[in-house]
Amino acid sequence: MNDLHFAILRKAMVDSQIRPNKVIDDRVIEAFATVPREQFVTKSMQDIAYLDEDIHLNGGRFILEAMVMSRIIQSLEITPDINVLTIGAGTGYGAAIMSHLAASVIAVETRSQMVEKAQNNMSTLEIGNVAVVKSRLQDGFASEGPYDSILIEGAVEMIPDALLNQLADDGKLAAVWRPHGHFVGEASLWQRSGKGFARLSLFTAQVPVLEEFRTKPKFSF
């Protein structure tokens, strides 16, 4: 498959999955129209990279379906002068999208192979404002914080205080809130005000839960 083939698929993704689903921010649309989604999957999966569904990678990681990811990123209202953090970066697709919107992006991933693949993708695409770091997802990357925007690339049953506290005042964290036992989650924004956080539900989304953000089982004796 050649570049023209993927360019046609990318345009179709934008026109059929993103624009009709309340995504109106021109900068967000342009980012999705520019970043080659096929670059972030294996060659055997490139023909399904633009399907309207989550693309599952190795190790419990996935690329969120374009409609969900674009609406969540739009809700963060990322401006060119801010630094953002993305959690569960996988092979780096979300970080690459946000590289077109923010001043700089810190992309956190735990799995060494994913970190290496994401770093290679940034180099191949000549993206210079993304740093991919190996760290526990729950820990974020406090040394470069606080962040105006944080994106968790998946569903969560809980969010550690240590991660929420990396938000700047009035900063926003976006993720899909899916409490234990719930089949469908809610794409949500957590906004910081002083020491408090308020969650705003945006829309329903059926997204897999990241293992690192599952609640621990409670044992009774």
Side-chain angles (χ1 to χ4, degrees), residues 87-126:
I87 302 292
T91 56
Y93 180 70
I97 291 291
M98 291 192 293
S99 75
H100 289 258
L101 307 172
S104 65
V105 181
I106 302 293
V108 174
E109 180 48 65
T110 301
R111 292 160 175 76
S112 297
Q113 288 184 333
M114 291 285 183
V115 171
E116 183 178 353
K117 177 63 175 174
Q119 290 172 336
N120 289 340
N121 283 335
M122 300 308 147
S123 177
T124 298
L125 296 174
E126 299 182 342

Side-chain angles (χ1 to χ4, degrees), residues 135-209:
S135 178
R136 290 197 336 148
L137 304 192
Q138 308 95 309
D139 295 340
F141 202 67
S143 63
E144 293 295 324
Y147 303 94
D148 292 292
S149 297
I150 299 176
L151 172 68
I152 300 178
E153 296 192 44
V156 300
E157 295 181 355
M158 60 82 185
I159 301 177
D161 289 342
L163 188 53
L164 284 170
N165 285 328
Q166 291 175 40
L167 279 175
D169 199 24
D170 293 326
K172 299 174 183 176
L173 181 149
V176 174
W177 178 242
R178 187 175 159 189
H180 180 69
H182 288 232
F183 183 66
V184 177
E186 296 178 351
S188 301
L189 278 182
W190 285 258
Q191 185 156 11
R192 181 171 194 166
S193 179
K195 294 183 179 181
F197 302 89
R199 182 177 72 90
L200 172 65
S201 178
L202 303 173
F203 58 93
T204 59
Q206 189 171 330
V207 172
V209 176

Side-chain angles (χ1 to χ4, degrees), residues 6-26 28-34 37 50-52 66-67 70 93:
F6 289 120
I8 292 170
L9 292 179
R10 194 154 50 250
K11 184 178 186 303
M13 176 190 72
V14 170
D15 291 343
S16 64
Q17 300 174 34
I18 294 177
R19 289 185 187 276
N21 284 291
K22 301 182 180 180
V23 179
I24 58 174
D25 187 319
D26 288 338
V28 172
I29 291 170
E30 178 62 23
F32 278 87
T34 301
R37 195 172 167 99
Y50 291 94
L51 292 182
D52 188 12
M67 183 275 284
S70 59
Y93 180 70

Side-chain angles (χ1 to χ4, degrees), residues 24-72:
I24 58 174
D25 187 319
D26 288 338
R27 295 177 65 240
V28 172
I29 291 170
E30 178 62 23
F32 278 87
T34 301
V35 176
R37 195 172 167 99
E38 73 277 5
Q39 176 73 36
F40 297 86
V41 300
T42 62
K43 286 188 176 180
S44 64
M45 297 177 66
Q46 286 184 334
D47 60 336
I48 64 169
Y50 291 94
L51 292 182
D52 188 12
E53 60 185 46
D54 303 314
I55 306 299
H56 288 260
L57 308 171
N58 293 327
R61 294 292 183 265
F62 39 85
I63 299 174
L64 292 174
E65 64 176 291
M67 183 275 284
V68 172
M69 181 180 278
S70 59
R71 287 188 68 181
I72 288 179

